[in-house]
Amino acid sequence: MTQDPTNANDVVQAEDGTTDSNPTDNTYYWYQSRDHSFTPSGVQLFQIACKYDGVELSTAKSQIDRDYNLLTGATSQNRHGGKFATAVLAYKEVGWIDTSSGTVRITDAGKQAEVLLSKVPDFLRVVPYFLVDLLADYQINHPGYPKVKNQALAEARGKSDIFPYWTIWKIMHDCDWRITTEELQRFVFKLKTADQIPNTVIQIKRFREDSHLSTAELDAKYPTPLTSTAAKEPKYWMGKAGAAIGDQPSLLSKPSYNEWEVSEAFRPFISHVVSTTPNFIDYVDEHSWALKHGEARRLLPDSNEEPYPSNELDETSTNTVQEVLELIYDGVRSILLSGPPGTGKSFIARRAVAELSESFNVKSLKVQFHPSFGYEDFVEGYVPTMTEDSHVPTFELQPKILKHAVRMCAEADYVVILIDELSRGDVGRIFGEAITYLEEDYRGEEFTLASGNSLTVPHNLIILATLNPFDRSVVSLDVALIRRFFTIPVRPNGEALQNFLVRGGLSNHVQNSIRSFFERAQEILPEGGLGHAHFKGADSRESLRRIWDYRLEPIISRQLAHKKADTDELRALFDQALIQSETTN
């Protein structure tokens, strides 16, 4: 990787007069504004700034700061020319404000943000799409970028075609949806051109394979990390890359202190975003860049799509979501969605959390139980750690999902732990002594963990789990745990099936044949029937054939292993649908 020499005594200077010391190492790096436009204070300041659209910048800065101080009761003076003078760089990154003409101009995208921020529930529905669309188009090399005195750094930046936020999402997409602080500082924040991204992905994967090496060995084999100063701390880049307003649901989660992960619900969306490479434009001046970057955005990916991944809720699923919410409002804190595979249990759970988030400050954690998952993964456990002066690992007791959730409860109205496949794990061993204190009557009482540490399960912690009651491992589930859950059955749904078939554009004849097969399958199959979600994406004869070959036939053959007549009957019914699809296409 090419490196540009810099002078450690040079100073980075923003156009508003603020300064920032350069790194003490000699590597090129991504400069960043040290303000986060998506914090509650950043949002408040932007809303105030909107009142000064068209006002001369030199006048507006002091008036915006004055109004902000009156609103928040702040009395201290801000450094670097004031609060707004510092924050305006962050607003420019998301294309909300343009000051190139010497006045405060709220862009079309900024006006969208202003309207949405005044209607919070609507804003939370579209925020990932709105912000990601803006940030994906943000390029490091543009005329509005903060000025630097370091000529070598300025020249290197002038040759860059990097879109930093798109690059972060792209690398996370190609690296198992995650990235660490060290990987950002060693590889990502040094990228100057887009053609370096594929090799960087390869380097990061090899770096992970070499995690057993010492720091000195890693430094000899890979680029050394940037010095950990404020200019190169990931929190600002990653805070914005997470595209969350305040404490609202974010694109990125933090499974550990120094690691970020793309939230599973938004992975299809991010996959779509990074499938197209942004087009670098060499803008003539700051105004032309701000005009383009601040264009209004289409708020939803499609007029018929929900911002949260959705099966276009049918009435029965909608009622189940409402059932979950009503139990929560009634004070129930442990809820189990029980049904065979393919009935939309996980989707209903996510949708319930999304709807709860429209009215409350909600944080959520997701986990999937499996046979090797244990107490040390869910409550707390000893983790091997290495120190720089020792090659012998030591073990530190670290909090896990439950303890993290308990701490988050102090910052939110509700914290939800979403547990997928509850029956796949040894539930009694996973929960340990916490089983008793999940019950509403014992919430708020302190108890002792196996380590000797104490813990209290708060009243606003919700456990929302899914379960296949026909899984063979269910028979071994701890009765003491199950009785602490309110169980909602989630059954195969003909209405949801119909939605899939209609959406796929299948003819009425094909739909009727599929429904006949589906209804008969519910009568014959011994393990709760056949889930409707297996038919998601059914839109042609070829797709129906794949659904049979790779989804349905394995399930039917297993459940009806010794009932050939029943198997043949279902196969014949499905073949009828295939014949109908061939006739009508």
Side-chain angles (χ1 to χ4, degrees):
M1 179 177 292
T2 305
Q3 294 185 348
D4 296 306
T6 62
N7 186 332
N9 295 319
D10 280 346
V11 172
V12 176
Q13 183 171 0
E15 59 190 357
D16 57 40
T18 64
T19 60
D20 183 19
S21 298
N22 261 357
T24 55
D25 57 69
N26 292 325
T27 50
Y28 167 82
Y29 70 100
W30 297 357
Y31 176 80
Q32 62 185 326
S33 62
R34 295 193 195 177
D35 240 278
H36 190 345
S37 52
F38 308 151
T39 61
S41 60
V43 168
Q44 287 178 332
L45 195 66
F46 171 72
Q47 289 175 310
I48 293 171
C50 288
K51 297 191 305 180
Y52 293 90
D53 187 14
V55 177
E56 186 178 347
L57 178 62
S58 59
T59 302
K61 287 193 296 185
S62 59
Q63 293 179 339
I64 292 169
D65 283 0
R66 179 202 62 196
D67 289 358
Y68 178 79
N69 289 338
L70 286 173
L71 176 67
T72 61
T75 57
S76 59
Q77 296 296 317
N78 292 292
R79 298 178 299 166
H80 308 313
K83 185 77 174 176
F84 179 73
T86 305
V88 71
L89 296 177
Y91 302 137
K92 290 181 177 181
E93 282 191 14
V94 288
W96 290 356
I97 290 181
D98 171 26
T99 61
S100 60
S101 62
T103 62
V104 174
R105 184 181 75 85
I106 308 301
T107 67
D108 290 344
K111 291 173 182 176
Q112 278 183 300
E114 179 189 12
V115 172
L116 293 168
L117 286 166
S118 67
K119 298 179 179 179
V120 175
D122 293 335
F123 188 79
L124 296 181
R125 283 168 53 82
V126 302
V127 61
Y129 302 95
F130 181 57
L131 296 179
V132 168
D133 198 22
L134 289 165
L135 292 173
D137 286 342
Y138 176 75
Q139 57 191 57
I140 279 184
N141 179 10
H142 65 81
Y145 203 87
K147 307 297 189 295
V148 293
K149 291 184 177 180
N150 184 327
Q151 190 59 31
L153 187 62
E155 289 177 0
R157 188 189 68 204
K159 298 176 182 177
S160 174
D161 63 354
I162 284 290
F163 291 77
Y165 296 104
W166 184 92
T167 299
I168 289 170
W169 296 321
K170 172 63 175 173
I171 291 175
M172 293 183 75
H173 172 274
D174 292 349
C175 293
D176 300 322
W177 295 108
R178 60 188 177 88
I179 197 81
T180 67
T181 295
E182 186 172 7
E183 291 163 356
L184 289 166
Q185 293 179 334
R186 280 186 185 270
F187 306 105
V188 180
F189 290 165
K190 299 180 181 184
L191 286 172
K192 291 195 289 292
T193 59
D195 58 11
Q196 296 174 318
I197 294 174
N199 185 58
T200 298
V201 170
I202 294 172
Q203 281 190 302
I204 290 174
K205 290 181 178 179
R206 289 175 178 170
F207 179 76
R208 291 176 181 176
E209 293 174 356
D210 289 337
S211 60
H212 61 282
L213 298 179
S214 67
T215 301
E217 289 172 323
L218 290 172
D219 288 346
K221 189 172 182 178
Y222 299 98
T224 55
L226 294 166
T227 306
S228 185
T229 63
K232 298 169 295 304
E233 278 295 313
K235 63 181 179 180
Y236 296 108
W237 284 115
M238 301 308 287
K240 295 170 199 170
I245 291 291
D247 293 328
Q248 299 305 326
S250 172
L251 282 172
L252 304 183
S253 60
K254 293 194 71 174
S256 64
Y257 177 73
N258 288 319
E259 183 179 16
W260 287 265
E261 182 179 73
V262 177
S263 299
E264 186 173 345
F266 294 117
R267 290 179 184 179
F269 174 47
I270 293 299
S271 294
H272 172 73
V273 170
V274 301
S275 65
T276 303
T277 304
N279 182 33
F280 176 79
I281 300 175
D282 191 6
Y283 292 98
V284 176
D285 54 38
E286 182 180 351
H287 178 69
S288 61
W289 168 73
L291 197 63
K292 178 66 175 175
H293 188 46
E295 287 179 341
R297 308 293 165 135
R298 186 158 53 97
L299 296 183
L300 292 177
D302 186 277
S303 60
N304 294 320
E305 291 183 12
E306 293 283 353
Y308 290 96
S310 167
N311 294 342
E312 291 186 6
L313 279 181
D314 55 275
E315 184 177 354
T316 302
S317 298
T318 299
N319 291 340
T320 306
V321 169
Q322 292 306 311
E323 220 176 329
V324 172
L325 295 177
E326 288 171 8
L327 286 175
I328 292 173
Y329 298 149
D330 287 343
V332 176
R333 294 296 178 258
S334 301
I335 302 171
L336 191 61
L337 298 173
S338 176
T343 50
K345 301 183 296 295
S346 297
F347 164 71
I348 289 171
R350 294 197 305 271
R351 187 55 179 257
V353 173
E355 293 199 12
L356 189 66
S357 299
E358 292 183 1
S359 303
F360 299 94
N361 178 8
V362 179
K363 294 178 180 290
S364 63
L365 298 169
K366 184 178 179 183
V367 61
Q368 185 178 51
F369 282 7
H370 51 79
S372 63
F373 195 81
Y375 181 92
E376 64 278 7
D377 302 302
F378 186 72
V379 182
E380 62 178 3
Y382 285 93
V383 177
T385 59
M386 294 288 290
T387 59
E388 293 185 2
D389 55 352
S390 174
H391 296 291
V392 179
T394 59
F395 289 86
E396 291 183 0
L397 185 65
Q398 294 188 1
K400 298 298 180 177
I401 294 165
L402 180 61
K403 293 188 72 173
H404 284 310
V406 167
R407 292 176 182 176
M408 292 164 62
C409 284
E411 306 168 358
D413 296 324
Y414 295 107
V415 174
V416 184
I417 300 179
L418 290 165
I419 302 175
D420 217 4
E421 305 280 5
L422 180 81
S423 58
R424 301 292 295 169
D426 185 343
V427 180
R429 175 175 173 268
I430 291 171
F431 280 87
E433 57 280 312
I435 286 180
T436 300
Y437 299 90
L438 293 178
E439 197 167 338
E440 283 77 8
D441 290 344
Y442 294 96
R443 294 293 181 104
E445 290 190 17
E446 187 176 284
F447 61 98
T448 303
L449 300 173
S451 64
N453 293 332
S454 61
L455 186 68
T456 301
V457 179
H459 293 279
N460 60 334
L461 176 63
I462 298 167
I463 307 290
L464 181 54
T466 68
L467 168 76
N468 174 12
F470 302 98
D471 193 309
R472 294 174 183 174
S473 58
V474 170
V475 296
S476 63
L477 279 180
D478 196 315
V479 175
L481 176 72
I482 294 300
R483 74 175 183 82
R484 289 177 168 83
F485 278 86
F486 277 64
T487 301
I488 300 175
V490 183
R491 301 183 176 90
N493 186 343
E495 183 186 353
L497 169 70
Q498 181 71 15
N499 286 348
F500 287 131
L501 302 180
V502 170
R503 196 183 319 153
L506 298 173
S507 70
N508 289 336
H509 292 299
V510 176
Q511 291 181 34
N512 290 336
S513 295
I514 293 293
R515 281 199 300 271
S516 296
F517 162 81
F518 184 76
E519 290 168 3
R520 184 59 178 144
Q522 310 315 318
E523 298 171 355
I524 293 178
L525 293 176
E527 296 182 7
L530 192 68
H532 48 269
H534 292 301
F535 288 89
K536 184 177 182 180
D539 57 6
S540 64
R541 184 177 190 278
E542 291 71 25
S543 65
L544 287 172
R545 171 59 67 187
R546 287 194 298 270
I547 288 171
W548 172 264
D549 289 342
Y550 303 113
R551 294 182 185 174
L552 305 183
E553 199 276 336
I555 294 172
I556 292 170
S557 296
R558 181 182 63 81
Q559 293 192 27
L560 301 177
H562 305 294
K563 297 181 179 180
K564 185 177 183 301
D566 289 342
T567 301
D568 290 344
E569 180 184 353
L570 290 179
R571 181 180 288 110
L573 287 171
F574 198 88
D575 284 344
Q576 183 63 33
L578 292 176
I579 293 171
Q580 291 285 356
S581 64
E582 187 173 22
T583 302
T584 55
N585 284 344

